[in-house]
Amino acid sequence: MAGRKDPNGANRDIRDDFRAEIREFLGTRRARVTPEQAGLPLYGGERRRVTGLRREEVALLAGISSEYYTRLERGNATGVSESVIEGIAQALQLDEAERSHLLDLLRGAGTTRPPRRRPAQQRVRPTVQRVLDSMAGTPAFILSGRGDILAANHLGRALFSPVYADPVRPPNNARFVFLSPHATEFFRHWDEVAGDTVAMLRAEAGRDLYDRRLTDLIGELSTRSAEFRRRWAAHNVRMHTTGVKLLHHPVVGDLDLPFETFPLPDGPSQFLLTYTAEPHSLSQDALNLLASWAATNDGIEQSAPANDSQSADSSDIPD
């Protein structure tokens, strides 16, 4: 990540971080594709030192020279054409999220701007907050790309009361997932949520390695969670805009809640997140009960179980 060798970004080429990310990302994508999956022949008795593709095999599939691909994988991204990027994406079987991430990294490797200082705190416009509050029967949030909960309506705060129990503000989903001992109970499919969370942070880092708030968060999680470090090293990225979240709320029990995310045009990497329940389902009954509970509990954060994230370590999270 940016600043891992020089936090102030002084006396070094600021493109080095992006070049390192390109090298590690392409290396991990290459390692996961076997010659059989790529449609390449394996000759009898051939002994391979790698299970994935060799650089020259990626170059062959992409229609470029092996020397050119090797320079690109080492981070030399000057003047890379759209056709070359498309060829590499097809050779490595990149999905849409991975292709976008590669484009972000290539763009960053060509920048000459200095690293930004700590950005101003992200704000949510009052009109957006009014939209949230008008969605009385739907838990709704505004999240940043790094997982900060920037705003929520009353039912949203009630639903995520275990996350809000952390005194750090703004509450952060990634910090809760990896540092809170309550996360594995709250998220019934914690392993899937953990993978999606890391993939989201990795994609956000590709868009701007010099977001100090983001690099500080990744540094904190890497220091305090071995599980986060392991997942971060995989360089997985993913678009996670819709699905079903399986939760266990400390007040109303299990909820199976479909979710949708909608990007906001204002502000960097902000999006609206909403949860709904299937009509006439047990989850809808539980959500109605949660709304009744929230209506009589103004101090929702204080009603949640205590969050021990300040003392949690990797032993709190399953391997």
Side-chain angles (χ1 to χ4, degrees):
M1 285 300 299
R4 54 188 167 191
K5 294 182 180 179
D6 185 351
N8 298 317
N11 301 319
R12 66 180 176 87
D13 189 332
I14 64 173
R15 295 168 293 186
D16 287 347
D17 293 318
F18 282 101
R19 290 167 179 160
E21 290 293 317
I22 292 171
R23 180 175 63 252
E24 293 168 9
F25 177 67
L26 289 178
T28 57
R29 300 311 91 177
R30 183 164 53 82
R32 72 178 184 178
V33 180
T34 66
E36 294 90 341
Q37 291 171 327
L40 294 175
L42 274 180
Y43 299 101
E46 182 181 8
R47 298 185 61 184
R48 300 176 63 90
R49 291 181 297 174
V50 295
T51 57
L53 295 176
R54 297 170 175 146
R55 291 187 181 91
E56 57 267 25
E57 290 170 332
V58 176
L60 174 65
L61 292 167
I64 57 179
S65 70
S66 59
E67 292 81 5
Y68 185 83
Y69 176 76
T70 298
R71 290 198 303 271
L72 178 60
E73 189 172 296
R74 289 173 178 169
N76 186 347
T78 304
V80 182
S81 69
E82 181 69 24
S83 62
V84 168
I85 295 171
E86 188 59 36
I88 292 172
Q90 292 182 9
L92 296 177
Q93 302 178 15
L94 304 184
D95 61 22
E96 183 181 354
E98 292 167 329
R99 187 180 183 280
S100 296
H101 183 61
L102 177 59
L103 285 171
D104 287 336
L105 295 178
L106 292 172
R107 190 179 302 113
T111 188
T112 57
R113 65 178 176 82
R116 290 187 289 121
R117 299 299 181 185
R118 183 180 296 272
Q121 184 72 38
Q122 292 193 35
R123 304 294 182 187
V124 174
R125 290 183 290 115
T127 52
V128 174
Q129 181 64 62
R130 289 199 293 271
V131 169
L132 294 180
D133 293 337
S134 71
M135 303 167 69
T138 300
F141 309 84
I142 302 299
L143 269 64
S144 71
R146 70 191 288 270
D148 288 333
I149 303 177
L150 303 176
N153 60 12
H154 197 58
L155 188 54
R157 289 191 296 274
L159 181 64
F160 272 26
S161 57
V163 183
Y164 275 89
D166 189 335
V168 177
R169 289 293 180 269
N172 181 272
N173 278 338
R175 186 180 291 111
F176 175 76
V177 168
F178 287 100
L179 301 184
S180 171
H182 302 294
T184 53
E185 180 180 2
F186 183 65
F187 293 113
R188 286 150 52 203
H189 285 185
W190 179 89
D191 186 75
E192 178 181 340
V193 171
D196 291 338
T197 300
V198 174
M200 176 196 72
L201 291 178
R202 177 62 77 177
E204 185 68 10
R207 285 185 282 271
D208 188 357
L209 281 176
Y210 301 110
D211 182 335
R212 287 292 303 276
R213 295 185 188 279
L214 178 61
T215 55
D216 287 350
L217 174 65
I218 293 169
E220 177 188 6
L221 297 177
S222 298
T223 300
R224 299 177 60 188
S225 171
E227 182 64 27
F228 178 85
R229 291 195 299 273
R230 180 182 70 82
R231 292 172 183 268
W232 185 254
H235 283 261
N236 291 328
V237 293
R238 196 174 306 144
M239 291 182 178
H240 195 57
T241 59
T242 186
V244 178
K245 197 77 74 179
L246 306 182
L247 306 177
H248 178 81
H249 193 274
V251 174
V252 300
D254 290 351
L255 300 104
D256 299 358
L257 299 178
F259 67 88
E260 299 285 343
T261 60
F262 308 91
L264 297 181
D266 297 321
S269 299
Q270 290 187 12
F271 58 93
L272 168 66
L273 168 65
T274 64
Y275 289 95
T276 58
E278 294 294 335
H280 312 298
S281 65
L282 293 177
S283 293
Q284 181 65 68
D285 293 340
L287 201 58
N288 292 340
L289 179 60
L290 182 64
S292 298
W293 174 77
T296 58
N297 284 270
D298 293 329
I300 289 174
E301 293 88 342
Q302 285 71 40
S303 302
N307 188 322
D308 300 324
S309 65
Q310 297 302 317
S311 59
D313 58 29
S314 57
S315 63
D316 296 313
I317 304 299
D319 292 329

